[in-house]
Amino acid sequence: MGKIISFANQKGGVGKTTSAVNVAASLGILGYRTLLVDLDPQGNTTSGVGVAKKGLPRTIKEVLLDDIPTMDAVMETHYENLWLLPAHISLAGVEFDLFDEEDSEYILKKKLDELRPEFDYIILDCPPSLGMLTINALAASDGVVVPMQCEFYALEGLSQLMITISRIRQLYNKDLTVTGILITMNNNRLLLSTQVTRELKKHYDDKLFHTQISRNVKLSEAPGFGMPVYYHDKRSKGAVEYLSVARELTDRI
C-alpha cells in the first residue's frame, strides 16, 4: 500500500513546490511508482512536470467536487514512474465549496485511499496556506515534509506550523507524523544560514533531513522547461541533492 506524504508550509517561497516535484521525480528514478498531486490553485506543480494547465478536462477539482473516479484524472508524465493529478486556477474556489460537504476534512483521504494500491508513494504539494485544502491533505497523509528556507521569519513560521500539525493530529489524523524538515535555498557561506541551521538542530535535530538543498542555477531553470531538475541536468547539484533526499525519505518512511 502506497504511502501519502504532504509537502506543506503556510509560508510561500520556501521551495515547497520545487521540493515536491523533484522528490517525486527522484522517487520515480529510484524505481518507485509515484503520483504527484497538485493541490495549489497556481498549478505550478502541474506545469513543473510539463503539463499545460489550460483546457485540462479533469483535475483535482473534479475529483473533490464532482465525485469522478480519482484514477480518471490521473495523467502519465514524460518522466520515469511519475504520474500527475493536475490542478488549475479553478481550484481556488474549492476551499469554500468544501465547507458545504459532509465530513469535508476527509474528502481527499477517501479519494486517495482508492489509489494506494496503485502507487508506492503519493506526494501532495499543498497550497501556501492552512485552509481546507491543506487540512484535507494532512488528514489524508501518513507524514508531512516541511521545506523551509534558512531565514528567521521561516523559523518563526515553523513553530506555528508544528502547532497546526499537532492540532490536525488531535482532530483528524492521529497517525500523522512529521517525516522531516527539509532546508532549502541554503548558502553555507552566509552567517544567517549557519545560525538558522544551528537553531533548527537545537530544537528539531531528529526531524532534519541530513541533505540540505543548495541554491542552484539549474534548479531555478528547470521549471521553465517543464522538467524536474534531474531531467534538465542530472549532474547538477540540485539533481544530486534531491536524489539524496528521496533516498532518505524512503528510509524515514
Side-chain angles (χ1 to χ4, degrees):
M1 295 290 281
K3 296 294 185 182
I4 301 176
I5 308 295
S6 284
F7 279 64
N9 194 323
Q10 78 275 17
K11 190 177 187 302
V14 298
K16 176 180 56 59
T17 294
T18 297
S19 296
V21 167
N22 285 292
V23 169
S26 296
L27 288 168
I29 291 159
L30 294 174
Y32 298 101
R33 286 173 58 87
T34 305
L35 173 65
L36 182 58
V37 180
D38 193 350
L39 285 171
D40 190 338
Q42 296 176 89
N44 291 336
T45 294
T46 298
S47 57
V49 292
V51 174
K53 293 175 280 189
K54 192 172 182 180
L56 288 170
R58 292 178 294 276
T59 68
I60 186 65
K61 177 196 171 186
E62 285 71 37
V63 169
L64 292 172
L65 296 183
D66 296 347
D67 204 30
I68 68 168
T70 314
M71 202 65 191
D72 284 1
V74 171
M75 306 173 64
E76 194 167 359
T77 72
H78 297 300
Y79 307 112
E80 188 177 358
N81 292 316
L82 184 63
W83 286 259
L84 173 71
L85 185 45
H88 54 53
I89 192 64
S90 63
L91 184 61
V94 169
E95 297 266 9
F96 300 101
D97 294 327
L98 286 175
F99 282 112
D100 297 327
E101 301 289 330
E102 187 177 352
D103 291 330
S104 58
E105 297 87 359
Y106 299 106
I107 292 173
L108 183 63
K109 173 179 171 54
K110 292 171 187 172
K111 293 295 186 176
L112 294 182
D113 281 349
E114 299 173 16
L115 302 182
R116 282 187 188 263
E118 304 296 325
F119 298 98
D120 299 306
Y121 288 95
I122 299 174
I123 303 296
L124 313 183
D125 180 31
C126 298
S129 68
L130 296 175
M132 281 299 294
L133 287 170
T134 300
I135 290 171
N136 262 260
L138 296 178
S141 294
D142 301 299
V144 54
V145 172
V146 182
M148 64 166 288
Q149 274 181 279
C150 274
E151 59 174 44
F152 282 113
Y153 286 134
L155 201 56
E156 289 179 355
L158 178 61
S159 300
Q160 182 57 51
L161 183 60
M162 289 301 186
I163 292 169
T164 300
I165 291 170
S166 177
R167 188 75 174 144
I168 296 288
R169 192 183 295 119
Q170 291 171 8
L171 293 174
Y172 307 121
N173 183 359
K174 64 182 177 60
D175 298 321
L176 180 66
T177 62
V178 177
T179 305
I181 299 166
L182 177 62
I183 294 175
T184 62
M185 304 182 216
N186 189 39
N187 185 345
N188 285 322
R189 292 174 293 180
L190 295 178
L191 179 60
L192 177 61
S193 293
T194 305
Q195 290 172 334
V196 172
T197 300
R198 190 183 303 128
E199 282 297 307
L200 284 168
K201 286 182 177 177
K202 188 187 300 182
H203 299 288
Y204 303 105
D205 189 43
D206 61 322
K207 297 298 183 187
L208 281 177
F209 279 89
H210 300 303
T211 304
Q212 299 180 2
I213 306 301
S214 309
R215 289 190 179 275
N216 181 261
V217 173
K218 296 296 183 182
L219 197 53
S220 300
E221 289 176 352
F225 293 94
M227 294 179 174
V229 67
Y230 180 90
Y231 294 94
H232 180 51
D233 184 348
K234 65 182 179 182
R235 295 181 182 85
S236 68
K237 199 169 186 180
V240 172
E241 288 171 346
Y242 272 115
L243 272 172
S244 178
V245 170
R247 289 190 182 98
E248 190 174 346
L249 177 68
T250 64
D251 289 342
R252 285 172 177 259
I253 295 299

